[in-house]
């Protein structure tokens, strides 16, 4: 059978959620799995009113948290549930056919991935269009309460405060009990506008016929154009920024530098692995030579995850024997290490590790489609690709690391 794996990637970064509604983008994606007005309603007109009544009840609850209002909330919930047909969408998917229509969360990116047959691409495209344009967002309260929030440690919060003080992860706002349906529909439009999503089709199909189907199906949208805040990437620091945080779980140092603009994701991946990913990395070996036998080092970039790599290059170094002088030791080691480019053999070993990780993550065709969609959405570059990592020139790796790590860092020292 000519199977096709279809992945739709959506950016659900909590940085784009309204204040006090962190996680709303993820919640509406989960609610969307319950069908549309065309797929899941016993009476769309009456169900719209029932969901509006339920929404009004939730919004009144904080001001009237008495037994009468809670009973009314239960009644409205039951009335809305009675007008929904949860078996309609599974029946539709089985008839198309669509196999395993599942939602995966990959950091700040959600990927809807499904498997179908090449002959049924027009029907599946129509189903996805209906999902985008006529979304009912059933069971929104339950999805909101089950949402998972992106959290940071006290050390990470301090690093953000030093380097990106306006980043939403630094906010400590208390989440509201329930977003309104209007706010939820605005979040749906913000995440699902065509320019904010990316479709990947992988499998055995005629690409010209599929192109015609997609162009004819997704030619327009009625979703409102909800404004999205422009990204606020970290800027190079004018001077060294340093802070100490008591009460850490273990003696740990975080060192972060702003990444340069237009960083290449493949070069960045090689740079992280070669410089500071584990005991066999260059900085890992330097720590051993300096007598830090129990020290561990890892690298993260871009952090926090952002479109196009607009984040920090972060080193995390932990040593159970203490961190006195550790940050200065690492900074000296960085300068010494980056005096010369990685050797060809070192780059070959780095590429082999990256290729092994890529094969393990994409051995299944569905996962390859999902990974491709997520990668290309996160790195919107004309030359971007989610193919197996290819060898990277050590001089290019050195240039990226020098542009990054020769600037002034932000340092956070955490002590128990």
């Amino acid at each position: 059978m000519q199977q096709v794996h279809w992945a739709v990637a959506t950016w659900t970064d909590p940085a784009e959620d309204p204040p006090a509604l962190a996680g709303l983008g993820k919640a509406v994606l989960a609610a969307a799995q319950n069908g549309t007005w065309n797929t899941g309603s016993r009476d769309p007109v009456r169900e719209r009113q029932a969901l509006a009544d339920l929404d009004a009840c939730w919004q009144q609850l904080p001001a009237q948290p008495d037994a009468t209002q809670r009973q009314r909330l239960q009644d409205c919930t039951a009335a809305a549930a009675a007008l929904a047909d949860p078996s309609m969408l599974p029946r539709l998917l089985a008839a198309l056919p669509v196999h395993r229509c599942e939602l995966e969360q990959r950091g700040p990116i959600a990927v809807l991935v499904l498997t179908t047959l090449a002959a049924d691409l027009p029907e599946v495209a129509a189903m996805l269009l209906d999902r985008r344009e006529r979304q009912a967002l059933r069971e929104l309260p339950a999805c909101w309460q089950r949402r998972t929030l992106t959290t940071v440690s006290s050390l990470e919060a301090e690093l953000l405060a030093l380097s990106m003080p306006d980043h939403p992860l630094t906010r400590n706002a208390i989440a509201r009990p329930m977003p309104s349906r209007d706010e939820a529909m605005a979040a749906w439009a913000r995440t699902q506008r065509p320019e904010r999503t990316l479709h990947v089709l992988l499998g055995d199909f005629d690409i010209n016929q599929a192109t015609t189907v997609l162009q004819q199906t997704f030619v327009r949208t009625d979703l409102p154009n909800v404004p999205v805040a422009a990204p606020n990437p970290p800027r190079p620091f004018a001077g060294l920024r340093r802070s100490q945080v008591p009460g850490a779980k273990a003696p740990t140092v975080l060192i972060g530098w702003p990444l340069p603009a237009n960083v290449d994701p493949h070069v960045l991946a090689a740079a992280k692995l070669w410089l500071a990913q584990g005991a066999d990395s260059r900085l890992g070996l330097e720590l051993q030579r300096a007598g830090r036998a129990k020290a561990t080092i890892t690298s993260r970039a871009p952090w926090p995850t952002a479109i196009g790599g607009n984040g920090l290059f972060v080193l995390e170094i932990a040593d159970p024997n203490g961190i006195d002088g550790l940050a200065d030791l690492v900074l000296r080691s960085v300068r010494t290490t980056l005096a010369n480019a990685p050797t060809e053999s070192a780059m070959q070993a780095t590429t082999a590790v990256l290729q092994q990780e890529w094969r393990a993550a994409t051995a299944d065709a569905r996962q390859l489609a999902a990974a491709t969609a997520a990668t290309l959405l996160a790195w919107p570059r004309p030359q971007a690709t989610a193919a197996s990592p290819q060898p990277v020139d050590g001089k290019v790796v050195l240039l990226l690391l020098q542009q990054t790590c020769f600037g002034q860092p932000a340092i956070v020292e955490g002590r128990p």
Side-chain angles (χ1 to χ4, degrees):
M1 303 293 288
Q2 292 182 315
Q3 289 191 352
V4 179
H5 306 289
W6 193 326
V8 185
T10 301
W11 194 261
T12 58
D13 191 351
E16 297 180 354
D17 288 327
L21 290 178
L24 182 56
K26 294 181 179 180
V28 297
L29 262 293
Q33 295 296 90
N34 296 313
T36 70
W37 298 118
N38 296 333
T39 57
S41 182
R42 302 182 190 277
D43 186 329
V45 175
R46 291 176 59 201
E47 188 184 14
R48 284 179 185 270
Q49 185 58 53
L51 289 175
D53 294 341
L54 177 59
D55 177 50
C57 193
W58 270 110
Q59 301 309 311
Q60 293 168 8
L61 185 62
Q64 297 176 277
D66 52 34
T68 300
Q69 184 68 10
R70 293 187 180 278
Q71 182 60 52
R72 182 167 177 263
L73 180 63
Q74 292 181 11
D75 294 342
C76 288
T77 301
L83 291 168
D85 183 356
S87 67
M88 186 181 295
L89 181 59
R91 293 199 308 268
L92 170 68
L93 296 176
L96 282 173
V98 164
H99 177 57
R100 291 174 57 199
C101 184
E102 299 169 339
L103 189 67
E104 299 181 3
Q105 195 70 43
R106 294 171 174 257
I109 295 176
V111 183
L112 180 74
V113 59
L114 57 87
T115 300
T116 187
L117 303 179
D120 298 296
L121 287 180
E123 289 75 17
V124 175
M127 181 271 291
L128 290 175
L129 178 68
D130 181 69
R131 172 182 178 270
R132 186 183 76 185
E133 300 292 324
R134 289 173 283 277
Q135 185 54 239
L137 294 185
R138 293 184 183 87
E139 300 184 21
L140 177 63
C143 293
W144 170 253
Q145 292 166 352
R146 290 196 303 263
R147 75 197 187 284
T148 56
L149 298 179
T150 302
T151 58
V152 295
S153 67
S154 58
L155 272 67
E156 292 169 332
E158 184 67 15
L159 183 62
L160 282 175
L162 292 176
S163 56
M164 305 172 68
D166 295 330
H167 196 280
L169 288 178
T170 63
R171 302 171 187 162
N172 293 317
I174 299 176
R176 285 161 41 198
M178 187 62 55
S180 68
R181 281 192 66 82
D182 287 343
E183 290 170 322
M185 293 306 299
W188 176 257
R190 170 174 53 78
T191 60
Q192 299 302 309
R193 286 279 305 185
E195 61 270 20
R196 301 276 294 162
T197 61
L198 191 144
H199 293 244
V200 168
L201 278 70
L202 174 67
D204 189 3
F205 60 93
D206 186 295
I207 192 169
N208 294 321
Q209 292 179 0
T211 300
T212 300
V213 167
L214 298 179
Q215 290 176 341
Q216 291 177 348
T217 303
F218 297 102
V219 66
R220 62 184 298 274
T221 181
D222 291 328
L223 293 179
N225 192 359
V226 178
V228 178
N232 187 20
R235 300 182 180 277
F237 307 141
L240 176 67
R241 303 181 181 186
R242 198 160 191 157
S243 179
Q244 294 188 356
V245 175
K249 293 181 179 180
T252 306
V253 174
L254 296 183
I255 305 176
W257 294 269
L259 284 167
N262 300 318
V263 61
D264 186 303
H266 304 294
V267 177
L268 180 60
K272 289 189 297 181
L273 183 60
W274 173 77
L275 180 67
Q277 197 63 40
D280 294 331
S281 66
R282 285 300 305 273
L283 292 183
L285 295 174
E286 290 296 327
L287 288 171
Q288 307 307 307
R289 294 191 187 99
R292 299 272 185 170
K294 295 185 178 181
T296 60
I297 186 167
T298 58
S299 57
R300 286 177 281 171
W303 184 85
T305 305
I307 292 178
N310 293 319
L312 300 174
F313 187 99
V314 178
L315 303 181
E316 180 173 339
I317 313 99
D319 190 341
N321 291 333
I323 57 173
D324 290 339
L326 183 58
D328 295 326
L329 168 64
V330 171
L331 290 178
R332 289 195 302 270
S333 298
V334 167
R335 293 271 176 175
T336 303
T337 299
L338 298 185
N340 299 294
T343 63
E344 183 177 352
S345 61
M347 284 293 93
Q348 289 175 347
T350 298
T351 300
V353 172
L354 293 174
Q355 289 177 340
Q356 183 180 20
E357 293 175 348
W358 182 86
R359 286 193 297 270
T362 61
D364 175 74
R366 282 172 58 95
Q367 292 306 302
L368 176 57
T372 302
T375 299
L376 297 183
L377 186 67
W379 296 93
R381 296 162 53 88
Q383 302 84 11
T385 177
S388 177
Q390 299 302 307
V392 177
D393 189 338
K395 294 180 181 178
V396 178
V397 170
L398 179 65
L399 178 60
L400 171 60
L401 289 172
Q402 289 178 338
Q403 291 175 336
T404 303
C405 301
F406 280 5
Q408 294 286 358
I411 302 173
V412 176
E413 298 173 308
R415 302 175 186 273

